[in-house]
């Protein structure tokens, strides 16, 4: 299965992406995580990306598309993938159309997570990530770790992303409105987009997403590995 997850900052994309990919037994590919890995390793790509991420802006398309092209060419995506955070504008969406056409494949679903803007800042300002594994995500109020500042799953230290500070979040929201929201229309025209209300408990949102994919299809994908 090939799935895209789109949504504004704070919609819970990362949290849902990890769970959906595990349920469907497909690769979770987050462009944000790939950039953070590059930044951590101090690569040229990471240094270039850091300036843009720090400002709450998109990393230039040629860098992002090149990175995702290379990632999707790896054999571990043959059974499918869940893209979390890509595409983020219409140029990237058209590039992905081309990558998929070249491999004679198509998307099964595009999930558009929807959350009222007034909830975004609160959701993001309480978010904490594990230094050892960025897929381990907590929230100081909604899903706090048992010991403050320590990951329940691996004992890693928790930290706040620097682009999760309020001023940067507002810039990221503006970028979402102007550049990313139109991507949903691109996929609506292809008949594959579904909007999912992202409020409420994590499990409820996951259930809505699985319903949108088609539970039978989703369960079959998860058990065929
Ligand atoms: P995320 O972890 O998805 O919230 O992404 C964090 C930041 O990485 C974004 O605010 C952007 O600066 C950058 N980023 C992630 N994905 C993309 C993309 N597809 N295109 C451009 N920049 C991206």
């Amino acid at each position: 299965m090939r799935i895209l997850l789109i949504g504004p900052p704070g919609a819970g994309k990362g949290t849902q992406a990890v769970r959906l990919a595990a349920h469907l037994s497909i690769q979770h590919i987050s462009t944000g995580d790939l950039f953070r890995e590059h930044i951590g390793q101090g690569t040229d790509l990471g240094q270039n990306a850091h300036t843009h991420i720090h400002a709450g802006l998109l990393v230039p398309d040629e860098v992002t598309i090149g990175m995702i092209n290379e990632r999707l060419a790896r054999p571990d995506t043959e059974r499918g993938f869940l893209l979390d955070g890509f595409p983020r504008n219409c140029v990237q969406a058209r590039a992905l159309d081309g990558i998929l056409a070249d491999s004679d494949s198509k998307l099964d679903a595009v999930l558009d997570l929807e959350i009222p803007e007034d909830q975004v800042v609160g959701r993001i300002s309480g978010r904490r990530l594990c230094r050892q594994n960025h897929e381990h995500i907590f929230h100081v109020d909604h899903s706090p770790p048992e010991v403050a500042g320590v990951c329940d799953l691996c004992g890693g230290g928790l930290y706040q992303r620097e682009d999760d500070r309020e001023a940067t979040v507002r810039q990221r929201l503006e970028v979402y409105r102007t550049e990313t929201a139109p991507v949903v229309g691109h996929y609506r025209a292809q008949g594959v987009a579904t909007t999912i209300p992202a409020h409420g408990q994590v499990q409820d949102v996951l259930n809505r997403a699985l319903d949108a994919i088609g539970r039978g299809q989703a369960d079959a994908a998860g058990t065929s590995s």
Side-chain angles (χ1 to χ4, degrees):
M1 284 196 122
R2 295 175 198 85
I3 301 197
L4 305 187
L5 209 49
I6 298 177
K13 258 186 307 111
T15 302
Q16 292 300 330
V18 170
R19 286 163 177 76
L20 273 171
H23 187 96
L24 301 169
S25 301
I26 54 178
Q27 280 299 316
H28 169 212
I29 300 174
S30 153
T31 38
D33 282 351
L34 290 174
F35 286 133
R36 283 183 284 277
E37 279 166 27
H38 275 281
I39 292 168
Q41 291 160 6
T43 67
D44 289 348
L45 192 157
Q47 282 173 18
N48 182 351
H50 183 253
T51 319
H52 302 279
I53 293 175
H54 185 65
L57 300 172
L58 295 185
V59 177
D61 288 334
E62 65 273 19
V63 176
T64 309
I65 292 167
M67 182 177 76
I68 210 76
N69 209 351
E70 185 274 325
R71 182 65 189 85
L72 291 179
R74 292 199 217 151
D76 63 0
T77 62
E78 268 167 22
R79 285 204 65 239
F81 54 76
L82 185 148
L83 285 186
D84 158 9
F86 184 93
R88 258 178 155 101
N89 62 26
C90 290
V91 172
Q92 295 181 9
R94 287 193 291 273
L96 181 61
D97 286 346
I99 294 172
L100 291 169
D102 286 347
S103 61
D104 220 5
S105 51
K106 62 180 186 52
L107 296 171
D108 295 282
V110 174
L111 306 177
D112 160 39
L113 293 181
E114 189 178 60
I115 176 130
E117 275 196 18
D118 58 4
Q119 291 186 20
V120 164
V121 174
R123 276 196 177 208
I124 289 197
S125 58
R127 175 160 69 180
R128 298 292 180 271
L129 264 64
C130 174
R131 283 193 191 282
Q132 291 188 26
N133 185 334
H134 287 154
E135 293 196 344
H136 299 166
I137 304 169
F138 297 84
H139 189 283
V140 290
D141 300 319
H142 307 314
S143 57
E146 281 182 22
V147 178
V150 180
C151 176
D152 289 350
L153 302 165
C154 69
L158 301 182
Y159 76 105
Q160 182 179 34
R161 275 170 46 173
E162 64 174 352
D163 61 337
D164 276 355
R165 313 257 152 92
E166 188 168 337
T168 315
V169 170
R170 295 203 183 280
Q171 176 61 48
R172 287 164 62 201
L173 264 175
E174 179 60 22
V175 168
Y176 181 81
R177 260 187 243 115
T178 54
E179 300 198 45
T180 309
V183 171
V184 179
H186 178 91
Y187 291 112
R188 247 184 239 302
Q190 296 184 8
V192 284
T194 310
T195 296
I196 314 261
H199 60 80
Q201 299 296 316
V202 169
Q203 186 62 41
D204 294 336
V205 182
L206 181 65
N207 288 341
R208 286 175 212 138
L210 290 171
D211 284 343
I213 294 167
R215 235 171 225 287
Q217 221 184 344
D219 289 344
T223 51
S224 65
S225 58

